[in-house]
Amino acid sequence: MSKPRPSDRPDNSDSDDTFTEIVDEETQRDPDLAVIEAGSRTLRTRSGPPQGAELPARPADPEVDKALREVEQELAGRWGETKLEPSVTRIAALMDVLGEPQRAYPSIHITGTNGKTSTARMIEALFGAFDLRTGRYTSPHVQSITERISLDGAPIAPERFVETYQDIKPYVEMVDSQQPYRLSFFEVLTGMAYAAFADAPVDVAVVEVGMGGSWDATNVIDGSVAVVTPISLDHTDRLGSTPAEIAAEKAGIIKQGATVILAQQPVDAAQVMLKKAVEVDATVAREGMEFGVVSREIAVGGQLLTLRGLGGEGNEYTEIFLPLYGAHQAHNAAVALAAVEAFFGVGAERPGSLDADTVRRAFASVVSPGRLEVVRSSPTVVLDAAHNPGGARASAEGLSEAFGFSRLIGVVGTSADKDVKGLLEAFEPIFAEVVITQNSTARAMDADALAAVAVEVFGEDRVQVEPRLDDALEAAITLAEEEDEYAGAGVLVTGSVITVGEARLLLGRR
């Protein structure tokens, strides 16, 4: 295992100053790192620029910031997201005393292993383009807890987040007093989201499960459309050790008479989903059969797609610019489009398609922070929240396709409960060297323990350890810059949403 490289600087304060200078540099995409597809600039101009991938910073008002911190502290005192008592009893009781706010609007419910948040953001963008008020509930957050609850495409304002918590707090305490276990962190947030959506009010809610399906806290809604993104092995200690076992748990979101939008799946997982759909008389649309990606080409800043929708023969949407990288995002886009078509009744109740120009405008506006997101140039630094082998493989393929790196340095910090060896093996072919680190949370895997696994995968000479994330970023950037022959070198920060979020802040993104 290579040792941390000695600094030429005389003391740590100089090192800190230099790192600050590094991360404060301009963070723009470098067009030379993408394959230029003819006409993509014109198409992007016609479609309108994508929204900035901005995430909420701390509130500027000290009083609001103080109030938000107090709420965060109270929520943190509850069971965390990884401690579960599989049941919807508590959340159902909370919904009951709140007057069933989740029944005030129709919902699209999203489960799967990878791609849920990006798909949710695409669905939200499509609804917004068709002038529907949306509520989106996703997890975990990248930088701020307020990201988890979005209204009309933007994270809920800190003031409104605090007000929503204070509004439901007496009811939360009432349920706490009546149950063997207090409501968890995730259950309270779910209650807040459903209450905030009813209060807005929204026309439609886009809801991502936290984990699994059947007993997930979100599963007190009756989603008229159930979306299942690709299933692979993750949370195997809680959901099962095979795709079929995991699919059985995730199939719990499929409700009586719903429409199921099924992304490409392992055969055994697809069989489980289809069986569940038959049991509850749900209609199934399968990627690759009833809808899908017809074609995709690399474009500046993303990709150019042709998607086939649910409306029958000839229902194709052409010249769709998606400002995200990777084949997996193209498939997420096909799933998102099919979900929105199903919501509007395209395919089942009427042939045809949605307005193509509106669809193009929606997809061109999509952002997905922390998903192959470029946050710095010279050298290019990319953030990706892959945290399991399936996600890592998709990210590695997307990165290799979209960028021409001559040498890539990985910065990896994972959670302790993940298949870290599988994740590292997925990245091994594309990383020249890897800097092992850890994020600041209790869930983080110890850097030395992670490094021991990394040495098994990469060999000792390709592994460097920097427990502090800021030091790890500096080390990786230095490695990418150190030799002229590696002028096209880059850095990928990955392994955990939390690691990516902390890196994003260190690198000056808000």
Side-chain angles (χ1 to χ4, degrees), residues 50 106 123-125 149 179 181 224 264 290 301 344 371 381 463 495:
I123 292 172
E124 173 187 56
I149 304 172
Q179 299 292 326
Y181 304 102
S224 60
Q264 291 180 347
E290 286 76 24
F344 285 128
R371 277 73 181 179
V381 178
V463 177

Side-chain angles (χ1 to χ4, degrees), residues 36-375:
I36 298 177
E37 189 277 328
S40 64
R41 292 185 185 276
T42 303
L43 177 67
R44 191 170 186 175
T45 301
R46 191 173 76 216
S47 302
Q51 301 167 357
E54 299 300 320
L55 294 177
R58 298 301 308 184
D61 186 326
E63 291 302 314
V64 175
D65 187 52
K66 179 183 176 183
L68 180 59
R69 289 185 188 278
E70 289 173 353
V71 172
E72 290 171 329
Q73 187 173 5
E74 289 188 28
L75 289 170
R78 295 180 173 273
W79 273 6
E81 289 174 282
T82 59
K83 186 173 182 180
L84 304 169
E85 195 276 317
S87 166
V88 294
T89 301
R90 292 175 301 282
I91 188 67
L94 180 61
M95 293 297 99
D96 182 52
V97 297
L98 289 175
E100 304 290 346
Q102 81 281 16
R103 312 287 183 205
Y105 39 81
S107 301
I108 289 183
H109 207 177
I110 306 172
T111 191
T113 303
N114 294 305
K116 296 187 295 295
T117 298
S118 293
T119 301
R121 285 178 170 272
M122 294 178 194
I123 292 172
E124 173 187 56
L126 285 161
F127 279 136
F130 283 101
D131 296 324
L132 268 65
R133 292 208 69 191
T134 57
R136 173 172 53 84
Y137 182 53
T138 53
S139 61
H141 57 274
V142 178
Q143 288 179 195
S144 170
I145 194 171
T146 59
E147 296 165 37
R148 295 178 180 236
I149 304 172
S150 288
L151 296 170
D152 291 326
I156 189 172
E159 298 89 342
R160 195 164 187 179
F161 185 91
V162 172
E163 289 170 4
T164 303
Y165 176 76
Q166 296 299 342
D167 285 345
I168 76 166
K169 183 178 177 179
Y171 302 97
V172 168
E173 292 173 344
M174 183 188 306
V175 173
D176 283 344
S177 68
Q178 297 170 352
Q179 299 292 326
Y181 304 102
R182 297 170 70 214
L183 287 153
S184 69
F185 168 89
F186 187 73
E187 287 169 333
V188 175
L189 273 175
T190 302
M192 290 173 61
Y194 290 161
F197 297 162
D199 185 60
V202 301
D203 297 314
V204 57
V206 183
V207 178
E208 173 190 329
V209 303
M211 186 186 299
S214 296
W215 44 258
D216 187 73
T218 62
N219 202 29
V220 289
I221 57 173
D222 292 322
S224 60
V225 178
V227 174
V228 186
T229 66
I231 292 172
S232 61
L233 299 183
D234 198 9
H235 302 294
T236 54
D237 55 331
R238 298 178 178 89
L239 301 179
S241 58
T242 67
E245 290 175 352
I246 294 172
E249 178 56 42
K250 294 181 182 292
I253 74 163
I254 302 174
K255 304 298 169 55
Q256 188 73 35
T259 299
V260 183
I261 304 300
L262 195 61
Q264 291 180 347
Q265 304 290 346
V267 173
D268 54 349
Q271 290 173 339
V272 170
M273 289 291 171
L274 293 171
K275 180 180 178 182
K276 174 67 175 184
V278 170
E279 291 172 357
V280 297
D281 196 27
T283 301
V284 179
R286 300 155 294 176
E287 184 184 5
M289 300 290 286
E290 286 76 24
F291 70 94
V293 179
V294 176
S295 66
R296 54 183 295 270
E297 301 174 53
I298 306 303
V300 174
Q303 52 194 308
L304 190 64
L305 310 176
T306 296
L307 303 177
R308 186 175 76 252
L310 299 176
E313 189 71 26
N315 180 27
E316 292 186 357
Y317 300 83
T318 61
E319 294 189 316
I320 293 175
F321 176 73
L322 181 68
L324 302 175
Y325 299 108
H328 60 294
Q329 295 290 16
H331 291 288
N332 289 340
V335 169
L337 178 59
V340 172
E341 284 189 318
F343 182 86
F344 285 128
V346 173
E349 299 174 13
R350 62 183 176 88
S353 60
L354 303 176
D355 180 73
D357 285 337
T358 304
V359 169
R360 292 188 188 104
R361 187 170 66 251
F363 277 118
S365 74
V366 170
V367 294
S368 195
R371 277 73 181 179
L372 289 181
E373 179 189 15
V374 179
V375 293

